[in-house]
Amino acid sequence: MKRALLAYTLILFALLGEALFTSRILSQADVLLWDLPWSIYRPPHLQRPSNALLTDQTQQGYPNLFYSREAIRRGRIPLWNPHILAGMTFVGNMQSAMFFPLTWIAYLLAPLDAVEWICFFKLLIAGLGAWAFCFYALRTSWLGSFAAGMIFMLGSFNTAWLFYPISTASALVPWTLLATYFLFTRGWWVDCLLLAVALALLLLAGHPETAFHTAAGLILYGAYQFFRKDAQPRRKRIIVLGIVSILLSIALSAVQVFPFLEALRHSLMREERSLMAGGSAPLVSAVMYLMPNFYGNPSDGFYRGLGNWNEHNGFAGVVTLFLAAVAAFFWRTRTGILVWIIVCLWCLLMIFGIPPISWIFFYLPLFKTAANGRLIFLYQFGVAVLAACGIDLLRQRLSEADFQKVQRVTLWSALFLMLLLTPAIAAGMVNFFARSGPGLSMLFYFARQICFFYLTLGVILFLMRPVARSLQSRERVVRVLVVTLFCELFFLCAYRYNPVIPKSWAFGPEPECVRFLRSQAPERYTSVDGGILIENVSQIYGIFDSRGYDFPPPDSFTRFFRALVDPNPFNSQFQPNWTLPGAVNSARIAGIRYYLSVNQLMYPGLRLVYDRELKIYEDTSALPRSYLTGNVRKFANSEHLLAALRAASSDSYPAFNERIEINSPEKSAARIVRYDAEYVRIEAQPRYPALLVLTDTFFPGWKAIVDGRETEVIQTNMAFRGIALQPGRHVIEFFYRPWPFHFGKWLSSASWALTLLALLFVKGAKHVKKDR
């Protein structure tokens, strides 16, 4: 493994070295230089963002890192995020992955500096895992295992999604499969513990969808191992150990999984994702599995394909497909090849939605709401494994007659592929120029992609031409194929897709408008126009945006927003649609006071309070963030409650709920004395019986103490928190104490302690046995 570790490290230094060892950073945050307010800092020579597709890094990745790092450094675990929507759980979003070991790098280094090291170790884990699985589970040669690790490490999936938690989870797939192999073939308790640790890290990695897809792959691979004849004596033991592994992995990751399950239970993500997920990639994108930049590339400044380049690109190398085809052709020569052929075919059927398999799975509960096109990671791992087997077959395991058969099949297959691709290339050229317009630069770009593909195919044909080959000659052929494969993956796929930029281009100086909004905290703002102070950066600056981009948003706020502001479930950023009647009044009820725009706004009640790099308007009719009201109406039916909210004006200080009713003339603001992420202190002095309304999300785990006594928190106006008060002076304290996190924290701590002790005990017992 030392040689593999050294080789992969050198490859990654070549790929990421500019960011790792210079003052520049691995980031696409320069995309902000095309949005207000950062656009005023854009250098005049910049013509386009380095990669305009990877916006989630700045929209979600960096904000999560900044927010969790700031909280950890202040000695607390960030459980609640008050800076987006009307507040939502932070640990429960999973994608912050704050308990995953690689995230801890950002607690030591600044997030802008930590990202490249996180990405480095992420790819290294992926490559070493694939190498270890092939070398120890399939018993492939070092070269074959090395090629498999390189394919999985540099393939389009892990490099395209490098900044995202999805690639953190996919990088762990080989390790979970290797632990599964050991459990099924040896059946030791230590294998049970190792599998539990691997699965727990997969759950802590921050992407539950990838964990689910990995579980599907584990079931296929585990079923194959379970029904092998040599596993028959161990089957009962394997079942017991497998169940223990699953339960222990849940216990180990409970600190993250339990808050996520609570957040998922109190969200509408299942309903909304069912409208958007479960689909398939267009079949025309299959050409990107042979030529990754056939439709262009976002890092080159243009992409003319259908949909998202990341979602549709399954490129793992033309040489990889050739080697995988060799393994598939001679699947009987090595145990275990067949299961990976099945895995790859299943993934392709799911990715492209080919019936009847895809139809069956798309109607299963979890597959129905998952983005099944992202099974590319499992497909790429499968072809990497097959390629490792193909390398060994070509080097020494095939007889002379079988090797000659490969040579003939390669020749005819290449000719057939050329004929098959000719109409696709012609159609692609027409589509390419229809969208981008004619031009020599475009013609050169398109021709270059075709030439790279045919050059690779030519190298394969030349090396596999029908001539007699000795074993030594075959070895040289395979080595040249591996070098060609490296060039394919490195230069066509991985290199420069994730940009390296000067650190000053990422966020830049703090904008003046941010300082203004912070001075008004905790008042909320939103944007009338798109591309202004993009969602979630509020977490970095400590300001409060009613928009947000996270998973899964609370159902209370989502229902309020969908019913009163914008019913479109594809509006995942919760950007208000001001053309809808009643949207402005609903925003006033939600306590949104400030509006950001580049244009002059003429809504009644708005006054301009800031006019520099952008305009900020204050809505003087917005309700205070915390207010007292005697206009409290009880509605047992949610539809009636919604109708009342639509008809109510903010002037009436409405407070509609399903529990209590109050009718008094009270109508005033309450004073927020302290506003922290998980603690809010309010002073109020109603003259009449009233309901105190705090326009923060109603969510399980929020408790309230009034004058030293715990008091019930009432869900008010569908989305917010309310406290019933009698006349007099009161001190109200809201605090967040979610039992799933606190129970999960102790369960995870105890489970990790016992697991590590058990592993040390097993290791110590082995040493004692050896000494004897």
Side-chain angles (χ1 to χ4, degrees):
M1 181 174 279
K2 291 180 181 178
R3 279 198 301 160
L5 175 61
L6 177 61
Y8 293 142
T9 300
L10 292 175
I11 290 173
L12 292 178
F13 280 167
L15 182 67
L16 306 175
E18 185 181 3
L20 294 173
F21 305 119
T22 70
S23 60
R24 296 165 71 88
I25 59 171
L26 187 73
S27 175
Q28 60 70 247
D30 62 329
V31 72
L32 291 177
L33 296 175
W34 275 260
D35 288 338
L36 283 172
W38 301 278
S39 57
I40 63 174
Y41 307 119
R42 185 172 73 233
H45 64 276
L46 283 185
Q47 300 299 314
R48 61 176 179 83
S50 53
N51 192 327
L53 178 62
L54 306 178
T55 55
D56 279 358
Q57 182 195 8
T58 49
Q59 197 171 43
Q60 190 172 32
Y62 277 131
N64 284 342
L65 284 179
F66 273 95
Y67 187 67
S68 54
R69 177 181 185 269
E70 185 66 21
I72 293 294
R73 289 199 157 203
R74 291 187 177 184
R76 69 175 183 87
I77 296 175
L79 306 180
W80 186 260
N81 179 8
H83 298 287
I84 61 173
L85 309 181
M88 65 172 291
T89 177
F90 186 74
V91 171
N93 71 2
M94 285 289 276
Q95 297 194 76
S96 59
M98 58 178 301
F99 301 111
F100 189 73
L102 289 185
T103 309
W104 302 347
I105 298 174
Y107 304 154
L108 301 174
L109 305 175
L112 292 175
D113 298 317
V115 164
E116 51 250 32
W117 287 106
I118 293 173
C119 293
F120 170 83
F121 286 112
K122 188 187 297 189
L123 291 178
L124 188 60
I125 289 168
L128 275 178
W131 179 91
F133 178 80
C134 291
F135 192 77
Y136 294 113
L138 292 180
R139 300 290 192 267
T140 56
S141 65
W142 188 92
L143 184 62
S145 303
F146 171 76
M150 187 172 62
I151 293 164
F152 191 59
M153 181 175 72
L154 299 180
S156 66
F157 189 89
N158 280 326
T159 52
W161 295 100
L162 185 58
F163 291 126
Y164 298 73
I166 186 172
S167 63
T168 311
S170 68
L172 295 167
V173 169
W175 297 101
T176 60
L177 288 165
L178 181 61
T180 302
Y181 166 79
F182 284 136
L183 179 69
F184 278 79
T185 54
R186 299 188 308 197
W188 298 346
W189 275 102
V190 67
D191 301 321
C192 168
L193 297 176
L194 291 174
L195 178 58
V197 170
L199 290 173
L201 289 174
L202 179 67
L203 290 170
L204 293 174
H207 206 267
E209 190 175 79
T210 303
F212 163 68
H213 282 144
T214 301
L218 286 176
I219 290 171
L220 285 173
Y221 182 69
Y224 159 76
Q225 291 288 353
F226 185 80
F227 289 108
R228 288 180 60 181
K229 288 184 180 180
D230 57 355
Q232 187 171 358
R234 301 186 300 274
R235 282 178 184 169
K236 290 183 180 178
R237 182 180 178 85
I238 287 170
I239 291 173
V240 172
L241 292 178
I243 293 172
V244 171
S245 294
I246 294 170
L247 294 176
L248 182 57
S249 68
I250 294 172
L252 291 169
S253 58
V255 66
Q256 177 72 75
V257 171
F258 286 5
F260 166 71
L261 292 177
E262 181 190 46
L264 192 64
R265 186 166 69 92
H266 294 282
S267 77
L268 300 181
M269 288 304 293
R270 286 188 61 191
E271 293 87 337
E272 296 201 342
R273 284 296 295 273
S274 64
L275 300 175
M276 298 180 279
S280 55
L283 200 54
V284 294
S285 65
V287 71
M288 296 173 69
Y289 285 56
L290 298 173
M291 291 172 273
N293 303 317
F294 185 78
Y295 298 111
N297 189 303
S299 64
D300 293 324
F302 62 90
Y303 170 59
R304 302 295 182 259
L306 300 173
N308 187 319
W309 192 92
N310 287 13
E311 301 277 2
H312 298 316
N313 198 323
F315 182 74
V318 176
V319 174
T320 300
L321 297 180
F322 163 70
L323 295 170
V326 171
F329 196 72
F330 295 98
W331 63 273
R332 294 177 183 274
T333 60
R334 182 190 285 273
T335 304
I337 289 180
L338 181 59
V339 67
W340 292 107
I341 296 173
I342 293 171
V343 167
C344 290
L345 289 176
W346 176 73
C347 289
L348 289 174
L349 292 173
M350 293 290 289
I351 290 166
F352 294 107
I354 300 174
I357 296 296
S358 64
W359 290 354
I360 295 171
F361 279 91
F362 285 176
Y363 281 98
L364 295 179
L366 293 177
F367 282 103
K368 183 179 179 181
T369 56
N372 297 304
R374 293 178 182 174
L375 277 164
I376 290 172
F377 80 92
L378 197 54
Y379 156 78
Q380 290 191 345
F381 181 75
V383 294
V385 170
L386 292 176
C389 297
I391 284 175
D392 282 8
L393 289 172
L394 289 179
R395 290 176 69 198
Q396 53 190 356
R397 292 183 177 271
L398 292 182
S399 65
E400 186 64 31
D402 284 339
F403 188 81
Q404 290 175 358
K405 188 185 294 184
V406 171
Q407 290 174 316
R408 290 194 297 271
V409 170
T410 301
L411 176 63
W412 291 109
S413 298
L415 292 174
F416 175 75
L417 185 61
M418 289 179 186
L419 291 174
L420 184 66
L421 283 177
T422 299
I425 290 172
M429 185 175 292
V430 171
N431 176 69
F432 195 89
F433 290 108
R435 295 191 180 197
S436 61
L440 286 177
S441 60
M442 293 297 167
L443 179 62
F444 175 75
Y445 184 91
F446 190 87
R448 186 175 59 184
Q449 311 313 315
I450 308 300
C451 288
F452 283 149
F453 169 72
Y454 282 116
L455 178 62
T456 307
L457 206 59
V459 170
I460 296 172
L461 283 172
F462 177 77
L463 294 173
M464 298 303 297
R465 65 192 187 279
V467 296
R469 295 283 188 186
S470 63
L471 286 179
Q472 187 176 8
S473 178
R474 288 196 210 176
E475 180 76 22
R476 287 195 294 269
V477 165
V478 169
R479 289 181 183 277
V480 174
L481 284 173
V482 172
V483 171
T484 306
L485 173 60
F486 167 76
C487 293
E488 275 192 285
L489 294 170
F490 191 87
F491 294 107
L492 293 183
C493 193
Y495 188 61
R496 292 292 185 184
Y497 184 76
N498 296 286
V500 177
I501 63 172
K503 188 182 291 189
S504 60
W505 293 2
F507 300 100
E510 183 176 272
E512 289 187 38
C513 63
V514 168
R515 297 192 195 107
F516 172 82
L517 291 169
R518 191 187 295 117
S519 70
Q520 306 301 315
E523 296 292 348
R524 284 203 181 91
Y525 69 89
T526 189
S527 172
V528 176
D529 307 310
I532 297 181
L533 207 62
I534 64 169
E535 302 84 3
N536 291 47
V537 295
S538 54
Q539 295 172 227
I540 297 175
Y541 295 122
I543 52 183
F544 300 88
D545 194 344
S546 67
R547 303 167 299 167
Y549 181 59
D550 212 341
F551 173 87
D555 58 355
S556 55
F557 182 83
T558 306
R559 290 182 192 278
F560 178 91
F561 186 90
R562 297 283 182 242
L564 302 173
V565 182
D566 187 358
N568 180 13
F570 295 95
N571 180 0
S572 57
Q573 286 80 24
F574 294 90
Q575 172 76 34
N577 184 353
W578 302 112
T579 63
L580 295 178
V584 172
N585 188 62
S586 300
R588 288 169 175 167
I589 292 174
I592 300 173
R593 182 162 296 274
Y594 294 103
Y595 295 86
L596 280 54
S597 178
V598 294
N599 303 308
Q600 185 175 359
L601 301 182
M602 304 301 292
Y603 296 114
L606 296 188
R607 67 184 182 94
L608 185 66
V609 293
Y610 182 93
D611 189 10
R612 292 179 188 170
E613 65 269 45
L614 52 81
K615 298 179 187 297
I616 300 180
Y617 290 85
E618 180 183 7
D619 187 353
T620 56
S621 300
L623 288 176
R625 288 280 279 106
S626 181
Y627 62 88
L628 294 162
T629 179
N631 180 19
V632 184
R633 299 290 178 266
K634 179 179 176 181
F635 292 90
N637 186 296
S638 59
E639 290 300 320
H640 293 167
L641 188 151
L642 267 176
L645 270 173
R646 290 191 189 100
S649 68
S650 59
D651 294 340
S652 65
Y653 279 55
F656 304 145
N657 67 96
E658 298 179 358
R659 303 297 302 276
I660 64 170
E661 190 158 341
I662 300 173
N663 188 9
S664 76
E666 187 67 51
K667 191 167 66 171
S668 61
R671 180 170 171 257
I672 297 178
V673 178
R674 179 178 168 186
Y675 192 92
D676 295 333
E678 287 121 38
Y679 177 82
V680 181
R681 181 186 177 95
I682 301 172
E683 293 180 356
Q685 192 170 358
R687 293 174 296 170
Y688 308 96
L691 190 77
L692 170 79
V693 179
L694 176 64
T695 54
D696 280 359
T697 303
F698 177 88
F699 197 79
W702 276 101
K703 313 292 183 184
I705 293 178
V706 178
D707 302 328
R709 284 185 168 184
E710 188 167 340
T711 305
E712 179 187 13
V713 181
I714 300 170
Q715 186 170 356
T716 304
N717 291 346
M718 183 170 282
F720 309 117
R721 305 175 209 156
I723 299 289
L725 298 176
Q726 293 300 318
R729 181 179 176 82
H730 301 285
V731 175
I732 304 96
E733 297 172 288
F734 290 94
F735 57 95
Y736 188 49
R737 295 290 185 273
W739 75 264
F741 169 76
H742 292 288
F743 177 71
K745 174 181 66 177
W746 292 113
L747 180 60
S748 290
S749 300
S751 300
W752 277 107
L754 292 174
T755 301
L756 293 175
L757 283 174
L759 288 171
L760 290 173
F761 174 78
V762 170
K763 187 176 180 180
K766 284 184 178 180
H767 282 301
V768 171
K769 193 173 182 180
K770 283 182 180 179
D771 293 339
R772 289 179 180 176

